Amino acid sequence: MNIIKKAINYLKALSAETITNAGSGHLGVSLGASSILFALFKDHLNFDVSDTDYLNRDRLVLSAGHASALYYSLLTMFGYDLTLQDLKEFRRLGSKTPGHPELNVTEGVEVSTGPLGQGVANAVGMAIAEAVMEERFNTVGFDIINNYTYCFVGDGCLMEGVAQEAISLAGSLQLNKLILLYDSNEVTIDGSLTITNRENVAKKFSAMGWDVIKVNRGNNYYYCTHAIARAKKNKKPTIIIFNTTIGIGTEKEGTSAVHSGIMSEKELAAFKESLSVKESFFIPSDVRELCMATTRRGKLNHEKWNQSLAMYSSTHPELYKSLMAFFDRKKINLDRILKNISKYDGKSMREVNKHALSELAYQCPQVIGGTADVGPSSLAVIDNAGNFSYGYRRGKNIHFGVREHAMTAITNGIALYEDFIAFDSTFLAFATYALPALKMRCMMKVPVMSFYTHDSIAVGQDGPSHQPIEQLGQLRAIIGNTVYRPCDYKELVAGYSNCIKNYLPTTFALSRQEIGHIDGTSFEGALMGGYLLENKSPKPDVVIVASGSEVELAVKVAKEFKKKIVVNVVSMPSLEVFEKQTTAYKNKVIYKDAKLVLCLEASNDYKWLKVLGGKAALYGVFDYVGSGTPQEVVEKAGFTVKDVVKFIDSKLKAQK
Amino acid sequence: MNIIKKAINYLKALSAETITNAGSGHLGVSLGASSILFALFKDHLNFDVSDTDYLNRDRLVLSAGHASALYYSLLTMFGYDLTLQDLKEFRRLGSKTPGHPELNVTEGVEVSTGPLGQGVANAVGMAIAEAVMEERFNTVGFDIINNYTYCFVGDGCLMEGVAQEAISLAGSLQLNKLILLYDSNEVTIDGSLTITNRENVAKKFSAMGWDVIKVNRGNNYYYCTHAIARAKKNKKPTIIIFNTTIGIGTEKEGTSAVHSGIMSEKELAAFKESLSVKESFFIPSDVRELCMATTRRGKLNHEKWNQSLAMYSSTHPELYKSLMAFFDRKKINLDRILKNISKYDGKSMREVNKHALSELAYQCPQVIGGTADVGPSSLAVIDNAGNFSYGYRRGKNIHFGVREHAMTAITNGIALYEDFIAFDSTFLAFATYALPALKMRCMMKVPVMSFYTHDSIAVGQDGPSHQPIEQLGQLRAIIGNTVYRPCDYKELVAGYSNCIKNYLPTTFALSRQEIGHIDGTSFEGALMGGYLLENKSPKPDVVIVASGSEVELAVKVAKEFKKKIVVNVVSMPSLEVFEKQTTAYKNKVIYKDAKLVLCLEASNDYKWLKVLGGKAALYGVFDYVGSGTPQEVVEKAGFTVKDVVKFIDSKLKAQK
């Protein structure tokens, strides 16, 4: 048997043993795709196990994250920081080999995957980031940045809308360093692919501007490696369609039964015998040596790149300097942003944000992002920065098209490529389209900013389908997400700080309408999540806690009560940040023995009750309001001084 | 000027006036698509304004819902229950002409639209429903059901993932009565379409199994009407690509400025002059007469259909009888379902549901639905009912493929077509993919059941990306949604009742793992949302309120306290339903003066605090747990008797 075949046999045995030992996993893809991914690792993927994060490495996104057993086996064989013992702990709590690949858990993993389709869009983001770097820093004789982004997908990934959106955009942008490795086994959990999908995939990708390579023998290493070699030379993004047999070599090969099937010890023994593998959890020395040759090649390539970079530093000192400084966040001066945008106080938050964003981008080059076809409306656009496109890779504003979901996963990918400050934007009502990608972002703690504008029922005339009522609660429910709903520019920039300085994913809810100047707002207060705005009496009768545009209303309501009772107003742009504060601070802001703590927000988010304690009352919106002028809608929902005053009075009266 | 041109000119004037008068709207599409939709209404759409809901009418889905001004103008011209006065009230609170089309607000509107892409999937659902009816009830000489489903889309709709998923499925299913009318004006809000989308749309649709008709002169009525006539004869789903000019006839035609632009009174006057329209909000008598001819034709077609149906009733009495009884819900006997599935008590909720669903489908033929490629796992499959496919239209299980979002919007469409009992299913972790379609479902109050299985961290080894923690809160945040998280078959069927008898959209959270038999559960109690399960002491020290699999835990915890303190256990499968009960009932179930009301649910949903009152404490999951065996994960999250007992003890101690 030749050494390649032997290596792949041992790889298959490793994957199968890993799954059987765990009693859980996905055998089908782990066997069926072994030749594809072995070819990729052995001959193409540029990596250095001694420095897995170096800038110009190739990126591999395992979008079909359920191929994790195969992936971990490959990482082990090719010298990453994983051992055979780790494979034995597959899918066990606290192991380095979780059920699906997780960022920051396993070395070499570029992105957490599992929910299908997400990885395709992540890879598109990485390829965009590469294109940006390539354009900025390469010069004659110096391809300082030229890495490929490989994305491994199955039939399931390609059915997901988020993937289709991303593929369409990648074709339009002609991201030539992007290569999709499509494990086309034509079997899904439900059975044969043809029961749900009878597309001509090659023709479809071609229609979207991709190059297509077909490999009929996708279970043969030689065909696989040559196809990848061809793809690397393309001028367009490329999909390689590997026809494979799911669960190849097992009794149930080619059927859905093997998708998430697990072999018994007996079946495993027979399977291993067919592969001429006698040992358990074992890599023979000749196979290990074969893999180590690749590992050494990767290390050497990295060294060559370092040498090239050293040369570049002398021949192109300016470019080199700017490359070294490119991702530096220390130079970011939020105070200056505050100062420069203070003149827009009193404008709508979306407009204020436009200026803040442009100021930020002026200070540092690593800001990039865009909107889902609502640029003129959400205003999340960097001034004078151009549009990133097929023809202009220096543009910083990305037109994502009406593709909210892919947009969100793509910005994840941009920020994962390297330390970009990525942002995206749509209307708050359509944040729901983005939730699955937001969840992955927050799970990975990728610090991206999402600017969701038109953030309350005050959107008015577009009607209920455009009224964001449940979205604030849905966003705040995502573990690890920080929501900022600022009432002015100071609070907005505090949200920026949360993302840029604290490296936390941050979603903003920004008003479409103007919010008048509010006395007493504070950047430092907003950094604490919430703070006392008005009165600041130590023992108020009533505390009104509000966010965003409702802060203005809260201040007006408090004024109504002047002389009668003491009303404190708290501006709370972020519940999540406020929650993290000390009890002493929280008690100072929210007086515990007040007769009433009223939360004022045009949402139906009950998280307020948790943050503000048992006595709090929620003044929110609990049903859709019809379509009408903003004023009509806001009045109907009872968000007027008169209505709120009446509500407080009734609550106080009820206590007597 | 010929009468057709005159009619379209007045139509354009009406749309433009409607928008200018409202000071808000979308002028671009309303003018650009006027020839397409006029041709459709005049020559093709089969409707009867005197009975807009009759079964065999054609369905029109305005997926590009922002073309509402044009749509309302057409409804007015063609004799629907809309007047010129209604057009003057466009986008005003309480009018019949809201910002985007809304079901049950405007006669003739088949589905609420606005969020882009949704309508395409709704239309696919309607076309599936038509195919089902056609197969079941047509026979030689009697095409009792043969309506078309038209879907009007713009560039934005086709970029959305939900639409791409639905289009792919429609091609695979070869839904020949589905016709997409694509207003290809190549302009979106951000500017020229080519900045975000350079696809070859014709080739892409062809690759997905669609027929494609191109109309270069999409602003010319004659070309439009002939193309639609051709499409109706196709054996495949058809897209007609109409090349149009956005905002045609205005100064800014062909640019993004006219997308949501509004003409000033002066511009409007000039525009109307160019159309030779002198009057305001006016339909000349000859134009009205032209339209009324169509209206009469529609009425006549309906009468012919009635005649045909009468004939059918005598020649095919059995078929006729079953058609008349097809959507009847009175015959549904939930008691019998309860009786027949009681033997599965103690199994996993997903398995119990499989039997409940099959029993329901056995009782009535209008049950149809499926899963997003997780049939063998979520088990939401009707026994012995076959798979709906290109070749077998009688199948009741639809393989939606890995397309959660489209699946959800498609089942909306099936239920909107007529009174089908539609269902869909995926893992609870992936319910987030479906949220935008769920929101529309709940806004429209379409009674569809979604079965979300693998409903807690007990999913175990698939890891954090598959752990549904925030999903329960996100689902409960949707206005009008009812969530049922049953702990046994009785509570499950109570959820069915909520959807089937009360006609309310209902989402189920069902366990992957077995839940042991629980004493004292009650169908009637579950119909109330929550009820006393254990002890039922009038003055307990502690009340534990739990849902789903945590009810079993709650009962065990209560047992631990026996003899020491009195602990009541409340099973609360639905917060939404419990909330609707009288205060007296609620106080009986949740004893107000208990020392502690503990909510036990493996989620981070703070809505419990609202439902259970200020003193309630939430024992939930507030961070992801790594991937491990279900037992490892559940223990780490503290969902054990020991941990809960400890928590209760500490809370009680703190009160002393």
Side-chain angles (χ1 to χ4, degrees), chain B residues 2-249:
Chain B
N2 84 30
I3 182 69
I4 296 281
K5 186 163 183 201
K6 183 173 175 184
I8 292 176
N9 280 359
Y10 271 86
L11 174 62
K12 285 177 179 170
L14 264 189
S15 300
E17 286 167 330
T18 296
I19 291 166
T20 292
N21 183 64
S24 163
H26 297 81
L27 188 63
V29 63
S30 295
L31 299 180
S34 49
S35 295
I36 303 169
L37 288 180
F38 184 81
L40 177 73
F41 270 82
K42 181 179 171 302
D43 300 329
H44 303 286
L45 193 72
N46 211 1
F47 62 94
D48 179 1
V49 297
S50 67
D51 184 2
T52 54
D53 280 341
Y54 89 95
L55 183 59
N56 197 40
R57 73 190 182 277
D58 287 339
R59 269 66 170 180
L60 167 60
V61 178
L62 201 78
S63 185
H66 55 288
S68 52
L70 169 59
Y71 189 34
Y72 297 142
S73 298
L74 283 160
L75 292 178
T76 305
M77 283 173 83
F78 283 93
Y80 284 82
D81 184 25
L82 268 192
T83 63
L84 293 167
Q85 181 57 35
D86 291 319
L87 297 182
K88 290 180 189 166
E89 290 164 16
F90 181 50
R91 297 194 149 216
R92 297 303 300 268
L93 213 55
S95 79
K96 283 203 237 170
T97 48
H100 292 81
E102 286 181 45
L103 184 72
N104 300 327
V105 170
T106 315
E107 208 181 72
V109 169
E110 300 279 357
V111 48
S112 299
T113 51
L116 297 179
Q118 298 291 332
V120 178
N122 298 149
V124 170
M126 292 176 178
I128 287 175
E130 191 277 338
V132 167
M133 298 298 284
E134 186 179 315
E135 168 69 22
R136 274 194 170 256
F137 297 109
N138 288 2
T139 185
V140 180
F142 287 99
D143 282 348
I144 293 299
I145 305 295
N146 65 355
N147 71 277
Y148 290 94
T149 300
Y150 297 98
C151 180
F152 176 74
V153 301
D155 296 306
C157 282
L158 294 190
M159 280 194 268
E160 289 284 6
V162 61
Q164 287 301 324
E165 290 176 2
I167 289 161
S168 171
L169 183 63
S172 297
L173 292 174
Q174 292 287 286
L175 301 167
N176 63 313
K177 292 277 174 58
L178 176 64
I179 298 172
L180 278 198
L181 309 169
Y182 171 28
D183 175 33
S184 173
N185 60 37
E186 303 212 319
V187 170
T188 66
I189 295 178
D190 270 2
S192 162
L193 180 65
T194 54
I195 61 176
T196 52
N197 202 352
R198 297 151 58 96
E199 288 173 359
N200 181 333
V201 174
K203 189 172 164 187
K204 185 175 175 183
F205 270 79
S206 165
M208 290 192 279
W210 286 60
D211 258 331
V212 180
I213 297 173
K214 287 191 195 181
V215 179
N216 287 327
R217 295 180 61 182
N219 290 113
N220 182 305
Y221 156 81
Y222 296 98
Y223 288 80
C224 291
T225 198
H226 282 109
I228 299 173
R230 256 184 67 199
K232 284 156 81 177
K233 292 184 194 141
N234 269 345
K235 300 280 179 225
K236 296 179 176 186
T238 305
I239 180 169
I240 311 177
I241 305 175
F242 297 97
N243 287 337
T244 62
T245 303
I246 192 170
I248 193 163

Side-chain angles (χ1 to χ4, degrees), chain A residues 340-414:
Chain A
N340 289 352
I341 67 171
S342 64
K343 59 183 166 228
Y344 303 107
D345 190 25
K347 299 282 183 191
S348 71
M349 287 313 304
R350 58 178 170 148
E351 188 178 339
V352 174
N353 184 56
K354 177 194 168 74
H355 298 293
L357 189 60
S358 299
E359 287 286 336
L360 179 70
Y362 183 78
Q363 287 185 12
C364 50
Q366 74 271 45
V367 181
I368 186 167
T371 84
D373 196 50
V374 290
S377 210
S378 85
L379 304 179
V381 177
I382 305 169
D383 271 340
N384 304 316
N387 299 325
F388 180 86
S389 70
Y390 169 47
Y392 187 61
R393 301 293 203 211
R394 279 178 190 262
K396 293 182 180 185
N397 295 300
I398 303 173
H399 287 292
F400 288 104
V402 190
R403 304 179 180 106
E404 298 84 0
H405 196 175
M407 166 179 77
T408 313
I410 287 171
T411 49
N412 291 353
I414 293 174

Side-chain angles (χ1 to χ4, degrees), chain A residues 7 20 41 97 100 110 148 190 238 276-277 302 452 462 476 529 534 538 543-545 553 651:
Chain A
T20 293
F41 271 83
T97 47
H100 291 81
E110 299 279 357
Y148 290 95
D190 270 2
T238 305
S276 310
V277 172
H302 184 189
Y452 298 131
D462 278 331
R476 289 182 184 133
E534 185 99 334
V543 183
I544 306 180
V545 188
L553 178 60
K651 280 275 174 187

Side-chain angles (χ1 to χ4, degrees), chain A residues 91-92 99-100 160-161 165 168 172 188 190 198-200 203 206-207 373 375 399 404 462 477 604 627 632, chain B residues 91-92 99-100 160-161 165 168 172 188 190 198-200 203 206-207 373 375 399 404 462 477 604 627 632:
Chain A
R91 297 194 150 217
R92 297 304 300 269
H100 291 81
E160 288 285 6
E165 289 176 2
S168 171
S172 298
T188 67
D190 270 2
R198 297 150 58 95
E199 289 173 358
N200 181 333
K203 189 171 165 188
S206 165
D373 196 50
H399 287 292
E404 298 84 0
D462 278 331
N604 66 354
S627 74
E632 282 176 336
Chain B
R91 297 194 149 216
R92 297 303 300 268
H100 292 81
E160 289 284 6
E165 290 176 2
S168 171
S172 297
T188 66
D190 270 2
R198 297 151 58 96
E199 288 173 359
N200 181 333
K203 189 172 164 187
S206 165
D373 196 49
H399 287 292
E404 297 84 2
D462 278 332
N604 66 355
S627 74
E632 282 177 335

Side-chain angles (χ1 to χ4, degrees), chain B residues 532-538 540 558-559 562 565-569:
Chain B
L532 266 171
L533 190 68
E534 185 101 332
N535 286 334
K536 309 189 182 178
S537 158
K559 285 212 176 100
K562 232 163 201 175
I565 54 168
V566 181
V567 179
N568 277 5
V569 175

